[in-house]
Amino acid sequence: GSRAKALSKRLRNSSAYRRVLYNRYPNVEFTSLQQMKIAKNEDVALAALAAYAGCLIRVASALRDRAMDVVEAHHNAARTPNPFHRRPKSPGLLEMLISGTRRTSEWAYDFSKSIEKSLDDTFSVFSSSSKLRSCC
């Protein structure tokens, strides 16, 4: 009853989110974990929102970089020092650990799903061959 209605509503919403994202940002990239979830219809809305957030972060970063270029050109033309000019910050240990953990968890998810599929395929072959023997 209500669980089926909630599930169908989530699927409708997630497909609507996905259509909006693909229309607005045709080059949106999903991670392998998000692609797996979308393929299996698990957490589709969450994966779409995460991809949307990633797109917004990239757009905001590009806008910031362009604004900083304009400020830099202004200070170069005026021959004044730019107070906003700083060296790019190298990623720290925490950022590297977080990135590595995220990649490892995505790999572990993909690997566990592939193991499950190969085991399911193996056991289905064994079960079908035992059924054939029992009937003959």
Side-chain angles (χ1 to χ4, degrees):
S2 64
R3 185 174 176 190
K5 286 181 185 177
L7 183 61
S8 65
K9 182 179 177 183
R10 282 179 62 194
L11 287 173
R12 276 196 312 274
N13 288 344
S14 64
S15 63
Y17 289 141
R18 204 171 33 203
R19 278 195 305 274
V20 167
L21 279 175
Y22 284 133
N23 288 336
R24 180 74 173 108
Y25 300 101
N27 295 330
V28 68
E29 297 175 4
F30 291 108
T31 64
S32 58
L33 177 61
Q34 292 165 336
Q35 291 171 0
M36 178 68 75
K37 287 181 176 182
I38 289 172
K40 300 221 179 259
N41 287 332
E42 298 172 2
D43 299 333
V44 178
L46 184 61
L49 288 175
Y52 182 67
C55 277
L56 289 179
I57 289 169
R58 285 191 292 275
V59 169
S61 177
L63 288 174
R64 180 189 173 279
D65 290 343
R66 289 178 185 163
M68 293 307 287
D69 289 343
V70 169
V71 170
E72 183 73 29
H74 166 75
H75 284 286
N76 286 342
R79 298 183 197 277
T80 58
N82 184 354
F84 300 107
H85 185 71
R86 295 187 179 101
R87 287 187 310 152
K89 181 183 169 189
S90 61
L93 179 63
L94 181 61
E95 288 88 4
M96 292 173 70
L97 287 173
I98 290 171
S99 174
T101 304
R102 185 177 306 122
R103 288 187 193 130
T104 304
S105 67
E106 289 176 3
W107 176 84
Y109 181 84
D110 291 342
F111 183 70
S112 66
K113 289 300 179 183
S114 67
I115 292 291
E116 285 177 11
K117 183 174 178 354
S118 64
L119 287 175
D120 288 345
D121 293 344
T122 303
F123 286 120
S124 68
V125 167
F126 284 134
S127 66
S128 64
S129 63
S130 65
K131 287 178 187 174
L132 289 175
R133 280 190 230 136
S134 64
C135 70
C136 296

